[in-house]
Amino acid sequence: MSVKIYHNPRCSKSRQTLQLLVENGVQAEVVEYLKTPPTIEELDTILTLLDMQPRELMRKNEAEYKATGMNAPDLDRDALIAGMVNAPKLIERPIVLANGKAAVGRPPENVLAIL
């Protein structure tokens, strides 16, 4: 089973989710998404797997949300995805991909359903 976690080591929920994977014997590919953001195509696929719209996966309380103009109500899906790739801090974390599915680790136990 191939498992990938989009991880931010400074985030407690992300650390807890990674620890939960380890405790369940899962060896995941760890992608520190602030250093290596997903591509537009990857993020589009992740959103599809999560059955979410871009704003649902955005951290709207981050200063970058307004500073980058992502709060503009007229932005379409492509513009929002591009904005998240350009400002990855806006992407909710952690995201785990496994078995052709995706889950946001908030709470961390959410990811167990896709393993």
Side-chain angles (χ1 to χ4, degrees):
M1 169 175 55
S2 174
V3 178
K4 181 185 283 190
I5 180 171
Y6 288 91
H7 176 63
N8 178 351
R10 296 186 64 197
C11 169
S12 64
K13 292 294 182 202
S14 197
R15 291 192 308 270
Q16 290 168 9
T17 301
L18 183 56
Q19 182 62 35
L20 184 64
L21 292 173
V22 170
E23 289 169 359
N24 281 272
V26 175
Q27 194 160 2
E29 174 189 352
V30 177
V31 177
E32 288 191 32
Y33 72 95
L34 294 177
K35 294 179 182 176
T36 309
T39 65
I40 287 173
E41 295 79 16
E42 289 169 330
L43 191 52
D44 186 51
T45 298
I46 290 167
L47 286 162
T48 299
L49 292 172
L50 289 169
D51 192 27
M52 288 181 154
Q53 294 303 312
R55 285 196 202 276
E56 294 176 277
L57 192 62
M58 292 179 102
R59 298 176 58 83
K60 297 175 201 75
N61 291 331
E62 294 291 339
E64 286 88 347
Y65 184 66
K66 288 182 182 176
T68 59
M70 290 294 101
N71 61 333
D74 60 337
L75 294 176
D76 66 9
R77 179 182 175 89
D78 291 342
L80 291 168
I81 290 172
M84 289 166 45
V85 169
N86 291 326
K89 193 173 184 182
L90 295 177
I91 302 171
E92 187 60 80
R93 73 227 176 210
I95 300 168
V96 175
L97 304 176
N99 299 313
K101 299 177 182 173
V104 177
R106 289 189 172 270
E109 294 76 20
N110 282 352
V111 304
L112 297 176
I114 66 168
L115 300 179

